[in-house]
Amino acid sequence: MKRILVIGASGFVGPYLCQNLIDNGYDVFGSKLINQKQNFEGQCVNLNILDEDDVFKVLSDIKPDYIIHLAAQSSVKLSWENPTLTFNINVMGIVNIFEALRKLNLKPRILIVGSSEEYGKVDKNLIDENCETDPLNFYALSKVTQEKIALIYHKNYGFDVICARSFNHIGPGQSTQFVVADFAKQIVEIEKTSQQGNIYVGNLSAKRDFSDVRDIVNAYRLLIEKGRSGELYNVGSGNCIAISEILNKLISYSNAKINIVVDKNKFRPVDTPEIKANINKLKKDTDFKAKHNIDETLMGVLKYFRNKADEE
Ligand code: GDD
């Protein structure tokens, strides 16, 4: 049985990824921070990627055949507020992992998870992997740097590295730092109180390529199985939708009377206007096919917050 370590398994994506890997016959280890609860299936290890000794010990104990590196400061918004934290986790974390592997003489196949934010503003309708990167915020810059570091280890030390550039992904369990969870939670709060109220929103004109998190983790598994070493892969849907449309869809699934209030505090210093993936390379190399549509996913997120509110 192939042994796989998911680094940063206790976030939003990790539990979906661990389940997908278990369902597909892997021996799964997931890492979490010591103070976090285990919320994923598989064997659990405590790991702080900023602690070099900790990284060394965990990798020498597990000796994985594969690693999928999810641990990240993943919020663009938070990266404006805390660039230091963002660079520490997203940049130093990957250096610590490669240095430990190098010293241990271990060569697992590694999937590095980057972001569509790395592209910045692109003058092309569809973004493919050959587009220049032009990071417009600290999160994006940290992900470009993470990827470049991984590729230096690939080229100079022969590590088997694949780099994903993931577009927006959503589903039950995501933090309300992100737009769909933020809107859905507010809608459910209105439903549970007076059945009418204000929803506070930021920039509705931005357009993003949204996928169901279950499709994204399936693409990660396919990439670790079939991706070509040293290559970059867009992971997304190939469809683009305005945040205003997402909002209208969510409101239309509710019986509450909702008044939209644009809150300037929710705007960012710079917001990439439109992001849409060309995923031909992913499809060609891995036979990836998305299984979930946006309406089903949005309804799932609303249902998650309604159930949570019922439990409280
Ligand atoms: N969070 C939030 N809250 N975003 C809002 C709101 C709001 O009330 N109103 C409008 N937006 C807009 C943001 O300005 C942005 O243009 C868009 O909704 C999506 O914001 P987020 O959900 O916070 O995601 P993101 O695009 O900044 O980043 C996500 O996607 C990246 C891939 O494209 C994250 O998941 C990143 O980790 C990921 O790499």
Side-chain angles (χ1 to χ4, degrees):
M1 217 182 194
K2 292 285 186 190
R3 185 174 274 213
I4 188 159
L5 172 62
V6 176
I7 299 181
S10 63
F12 163 52
V13 178
Y16 291 98
L17 178 59
C18 290
Q19 192 58 59
N20 180 297
L21 294 167
I22 289 168
D23 293 346
N24 285 281
Y26 288 84
D27 183 15
V28 176
F29 290 75
S31 87
K32 66 170 190 64
L33 290 172
I34 197 159
N35 58 354
Q36 288 173 325
K37 253 187 27 211
Q38 183 182 352
N39 58 350
F40 53 86
E41 296 298 318
Q43 294 154 83
C44 180
V45 286
N46 290 323
L47 170 65
N48 176 358
I49 56 168
L50 297 183
D51 180 333
E52 290 172 58
D53 297 337
D54 210 10
V55 178
F56 189 89
K57 179 163 187 326
V58 166
L59 290 173
S60 76
D61 286 349
I62 299 178
K63 298 192 175 52
D65 301 301
Y66 302 106
I67 294 177
I68 299 184
H69 179 48
L70 293 181
Q73 190 304 90
S74 62
S75 162
V76 175
K77 184 167 176 280
L78 183 61
S79 81
W80 287 108
E81 290 150 20
N82 200 338
T84 309
L85 178 79
T86 306
F87 285 109
N88 277 340
I89 297 176
N90 296 359
V91 176
M92 289 322 296
I94 198 69
V95 175
N96 289 341
I97 291 164
F98 276 112
E99 278 304 289
L101 291 171
R102 195 171 67 80
K103 288 173 193 154
L104 287 161
N105 208 15
L106 295 174
K107 287 275 169 70
R109 169 154 255 233
I110 310 177
L111 178 71
I112 306 293
V113 175
S115 168
S116 59
E117 283 288 327
E118 292 175 48
Y119 293 112
K121 190 163 181 275
V122 177
D123 292 329
K124 246 177 146 182
N125 186 23
L126 272 179
I127 300 174
D128 65 37
E129 293 83 355
N130 296 321
C131 292
E132 292 282 315
T133 55
D134 181 17
L136 300 179
N137 56 66
F138 298 121
Y139 167 76
L141 181 59
S142 75
K143 286 291 180 176
V144 170
T145 312
Q146 170 183 267
E147 189 179 276
K148 288 201 183 302
I149 289 168
L151 291 174
I152 286 175
Y153 277 96
H154 165 73
K155 284 186 193 124
N156 294 287
Y157 294 110
F159 279 99
D160 185 3
V161 171
I162 299 149
C163 297
R165 287 180 176 165
S166 308
F167 290 63
N168 297 58
H169 34 296
I170 53 174
Q174 192 172 27
S175 151
T176 53
Q177 282 174 311
F178 300 102
V179 67
V180 169
D182 182 336
F183 290 175
K185 183 161 190 265
Q186 291 190 68
I187 291 171
V188 171
E189 275 166 3
I190 295 169
E191 289 174 350
K192 296 287 166 192
T193 50
S194 53
Q195 275 293 321
Q196 74 175 56
N198 292 338
I199 183 166
Y200 296 91
V201 302
N203 176 17
L204 295 181
S205 69
K207 292 181 179 163
R208 292 288 182 274
D209 181 313
F210 285 95
S211 295
D212 189 296
V213 62
R214 291 166 292 181
D215 287 324
I216 295 282
V217 299
N218 201 42
Y220 292 165
R221 179 181 55 80
L222 291 169
L223 280 174
I224 207 95
E225 290 172 355
K226 300 179 182 175
R228 280 178 286 139
S229 197
E231 292 290 324
L232 307 170
Y233 289 91
N234 282 346
V235 177
S237 73
N239 303 311
C240 186
I241 181 166
I243 304 301
S244 56
E245 202 181 325
I246 293 274
L247 177 62
N248 291 339
K249 279 178 183 284
L250 285 167
I251 290 177
S252 75
Y253 307 142
S254 174
N255 292 325
K257 202 167 165 294
I258 293 164
N259 177 41
I260 300 167
V261 179
V262 176
D263 177 357
K264 289 285 169 202
N265 292 320
K266 294 187 99 176
F267 280 60
R268 298 167 186 183
V270 183
D271 205 8
T272 315
E274 180 169 339
I275 300 181
K276 180 171 163 185
N278 176 331
I279 55 166
N280 290 345
K281 187 172 173 185
L282 173 71
K283 285 192 198 159
K284 184 166 172 284
D285 285 5
T286 72
D287 294 324
F288 170 76
K289 217 170 170 268
K291 294 197 179 105
H292 304 278
N293 71 52
I294 182 98
D295 297 281
E296 172 205 342
T297 310
L298 292 174
M299 281 187 231
V301 176
L302 271 178
K303 188 167 169 222
Y304 167 80
F305 281 108
R306 287 180 182 135
N307 290 343
K308 241 179 123 176
D310 286 342
E311 284 162 16
E312 279 161 10

